[in-house]
Amino acid sequence: MTVPVLLHGALAAHRRGRILREALSAEATKTLPASGAVIMSFADAFQGADEGEQARLVEWTRAAGHVLLLVPPFAAGACERPVPWRAERMEGGARGGEGLAKMLAGEVTHRIEGKLQTPPLPGATWSDLSVCVGTYRLHPAAGLFAVTCLPLWSLAVLDAPEETQSWLVSLVALAGEAKSVAAPAQTPLSPDHYGLLVFLLSKSFEDDEQAIAALLASSIFRIAPERARALLNELRARCLVMGAVPTTEATELVMQSPYAPYVRALREATTP
């Protein structure tokens, strides 16, 4: 697989999840990744989840390359997200499947009904046109919400890892290509940032309140307490301040800038 396969919810801890770990090198997850991935979950867990959790999982499929794949077992009754669908018991066995579907046909007990789309996937339908795989995309460039009646956690897949991976690759191909998320470029430090760093480098402070109290008493610096707290938070977010102490990186930035003479002058003024 070119994208990670992640087991979500009850499937992650279930014995059936161990089969998927071996067959697909799947791993457990408690979070929804920002990058492309296949998240597999039991269908009945999704059907029984509250509306907020269902919406969160469906929303995750909005991005290309994101695939949410629900596998048996199923809960009785219809599910309304992302569109109305349900799994119904089949009368008799499934027939006429291709590839992985043909191999697992003897273990299939349900068919998909409702408004999910039938994807152009080998084995998505049987010879009587019963639907084995249903999909939905939130928009034409989105990822994929998918439900399959194939028990992908069957012991049989351990004897056919290539067929299993090929089936999953075909499904992932329908979800588009995930775009890499570029890290936002940081804006340069402002004069206020440098001013506060110069002040923090002039002497040692135990915490924010001590530093802000000294700032208020200073006859040189004019930074309001609210502004100083905001600047401290911004500097911490950039890992330039730990507590009320500038980091080594911050010290180097200041000492290589036009503000370095101010630090030296303030240190000399405060040195006995």
Side-chain angles (χ1 to χ4, degrees), residues 47-63:
Q47 291 170 287
D50 60 40
E51 291 186 4
E53 176 64 5
Q54 288 184 356
R56 185 177 77 96
L57 290 167
V58 172
E59 180 65 20
W60 180 78
T61 68
R62 182 176 293 277

Side-chain angles (χ1 to χ4, degrees), residues 56-85:
R56 185 177 77 96
L57 290 167
V58 172
E59 180 65 20
W60 180 78
T61 68
R62 182 176 293 277
H66 291 193
V67 179
L68 175 64
L69 176 59
L70 306 183
V71 298
F74 299 97
C79 183
E80 297 300 318
R81 289 185 184 272
V83 291
W85 65 274

Side-chain angles (χ1 to χ4, degrees), residues 6 26 28 36 40 42 51 70 75 111 113 120 124 140 146 167 174 187 189-190 194 233 267:
L6 306 174
M40 297 180 66
F42 283 138
E51 291 186 4
L70 306 183
R111 64 170 178 260
E113 297 284 349
W167 184 89
L174 301 177
T187 56
L189 293 179
S190 69
Y194 277 107
N233 289 333
R267 285 177 174 174

Side-chain angles (χ1 to χ4, degrees), residues 218-234:
S218 173
S219 59
I220 301 174
F221 293 88
R222 294 289 183 268
I223 303 177
E226 297 77 10
R227 177 60 174 155
R229 289 189 177 91
L231 291 169
L232 278 168
N233 289 333
E234 292 167 9

Side-chain angles (χ1 to χ4, degrees), residues 10-262:
L11 179 57
H14 199 279
R15 60 180 178 80
R16 289 171 173 171
R18 292 198 293 269
I19 296 171
L20 294 169
R21 291 173 191 266
E22 184 173 346
L24 297 170
S25 299
E27 297 181 359
T29 186
K30 293 183 179 179
T31 60
L32 304 181
S35 56
V38 177
I39 289 185
M40 297 180 66
S41 178
F42 283 138
D44 62 353
F46 178 87
Q47 291 170 287
D50 60 40
E51 291 186 4
E53 176 64 5
Q54 288 184 356
R56 185 177 77 96
L57 290 167
V58 172
E59 180 65 20
W60 180 78
T61 68
R62 182 176 293 277
H66 291 193
V67 179
L68 175 64
L69 176 59
L70 306 183
V71 298
F74 299 97
C79 183
E80 297 300 318
R81 289 185 184 272
V83 291
W85 65 274
R86 65 186 182 277
E88 290 189 348
R89 284 272 180 183
M90 295 184 69
E91 296 179 2
R95 294 183 177 87
E98 300 178 46
L100 183 67
K102 182 177 182 180
M103 185 184 75
L104 297 176
E107 300 180 55
V108 174
T109 58
H110 288 75
R111 64 170 178 260
I112 301 296
E113 297 284 349
K115 295 187 177 181
L116 292 175
Q117 298 174 335
T118 305
L121 192 72
T125 60
W126 307 106
S127 57
D128 63 355
L129 300 184
S130 296
V131 177
C132 177
V133 183
T135 60
Y136 180 81
R137 302 182 81 178
L138 288 167
H139 55 80
L144 204 67
F145 174 95
V147 184
T148 182
C149 298
L150 295 178
L152 298 180
W153 36 255
S154 169
L155 286 170
V157 303
L158 296 178
D159 295 325
E162 293 183 1
E163 289 85 346
T164 306
Q165 292 183 21
S166 177
W167 184 89
L168 199 55
V169 165
S170 297
L171 187 69
V172 170
L174 301 177
E177 186 175 350
K179 296 180 180 179
S180 57
V181 180
Q186 288 190 334
T187 56
L189 293 179
S190 69
D192 279 357
H193 287 120
Y194 277 107
L196 184 58
L197 285 173
V198 167
F199 176 74
L200 295 176
L201 286 168
S202 67
K203 58 185 298 185
S204 298
F205 300 102
E206 293 183 359
D207 54 32
D208 289 12
E209 296 310 313
Q210 187 184 65
I212 290 171
L215 191 60
L216 279 172
S218 173
S219 59
I220 301 174
F221 293 88
R222 294 289 183 268
I223 303 177
E226 297 77 10
R227 177 60 174 155
R229 289 189 177 91
L231 291 169
L232 278 168
N233 289 333
E234 292 167 9
L235 290 168
R236 287 196 190 100
R238 296 186 180 215
C239 299
L240 294 176
V241 169
M242 297 292 288
V245 180
T247 62
T248 301
E249 180 184 354
T251 303
E252 291 176 353
L253 278 174
V254 174
M255 300 311 289
Q256 293 172 8
S257 75
Y259 297 87
Y262 295 97

